[in-house]
Amino acid sequence: MTQTTFDKEVYKEYIDYILEQAKNLLAIDSPSGFGAEVTSYLMEELKTMGVCAKMSTKGGVLANIPSKREDEAILFQAHCDTLGAMIHEIKGDGRLKLTNIGGMEANNAEAENVRIRTREGKVYEGTCQLINASVHVNPDYRKTERTWKNMEVVIDEDVSSKKEVEALGIMVGDYVCFDPRTKITESGYIKSRFLDDKLSAAILLGYAKYLKDRNITPDRSIYLHFTIYEEVGHGGSSPCPEEVNEVWSVDMGCVGEGLNCTEREVSIAAKDSGGPYNYEVVSRLIELAKKYDIGYAVDIYPFYGSDVEATLSAGFDVKHALIGPGVYASHGYERSHRDGVANTFRLIQAYMEDR
């Protein structure tokens, strides 16, 4: 495939599409293991654009954009599962004790609106609060450590006992989903819980739409894997089709003290907690970012693991990489920017087209 000149108006069209898809994905509750609704949405969206996709046994979505070659393929991964919680105990006073899913931090969950999703399909609203949350009543409010043992969900129903809560159909093991509070500002900033990693999932949707709209046949087959267990460590462990020899996690780039990336750039990871990424691929990404004036940063993530590390741990013999738009306040109320989205999209495009 030869490198194409990407018209600015068409480019804007796909970034707008990505942001719209990000909003749609973020509005769907999907803490790890509770992925049926988000994957159904993905399957329908891929079908609409004419991309062949199937569900994996454990519930992820694997899409394929074929090429004329059958001996070589690349797999892009993005995860659609998020942080969240489950009911650990229904307390005697009708409040709910939680256990977190993934890296959901209690101090980031305080005073957040939640949805309780029952096994029967009912949805109840509530708020995650510090136990005894009234400042005018609790003399220890300011010095109480925010941990899950000190937090509870107050259900927005007229209940004050365990029996009354159970009568609603609420039980131990039900999912508790946190309000993402998604907002896109006029200045291009994207603020929401769970940009990690629904923003990058939307980027992969945008890239697939770009290929299909413009009838581009890639030089090697492209697989897109939307995983639903990344936040608990095994999202990318499978599937990985036999012809795949290169796998990328398209996930959030870290923004913070000691790192180079901002929300307006694409982050290229050289190393994270699992060790260094493939030297050849990382070097090529840097080369292309420079060549096409793509805003980028190279960083080392001190506390980070990705889907592709699960792929490697499962025994697949592949080159691996990790890129993504810069995201600030990871695992909290996160922030990115449409420029970071654009630069991530452009880097994928450059890598696949400048061969």
Side-chain angles (χ1 to χ4, degrees), residues 269-278 299-313 320 322:
K271 176 183 179 293
D272 67 9
S273 301
Y277 284 86
N278 182 271
D299 271 313
I300 292 172
Y301 304 157
F303 312 107
Y304 195 113
S306 70
D307 266 329
V308 72
E309 289 169 349
T311 309
L312 293 175
S313 295
H320 68 307
L322 166 62

Side-chain angles (χ1 to χ4, degrees), residues 108-127:
N108 268 321
E110 184 177 6
E112 189 65 89
N113 291 324
V114 302
R115 285 175 293 278
I116 302 150
R117 308 289 300 263
T118 75
R119 302 275 169 174
E120 298 173 347
K122 296 178 180 178
V123 182
Y124 295 98
E125 295 189 6
T127 310

Side-chain angles (χ1 to χ4, degrees), residues 15 17 43 49 52 62 75-76 107 139 142 161 176 209 217 255 289 296 302 307 314 321 354:
I15 303 309
Y17 169 83
M43 289 290 289
M49 69 175 74
C52 180
L62 184 68
L75 171 64
F76 295 108
N107 55 347
R142 292 177 179 83
S161 70
V176 176
K209 182 172 173 59
T217 301
V255 175
Y296 80 99
D307 266 329
D354 187 340

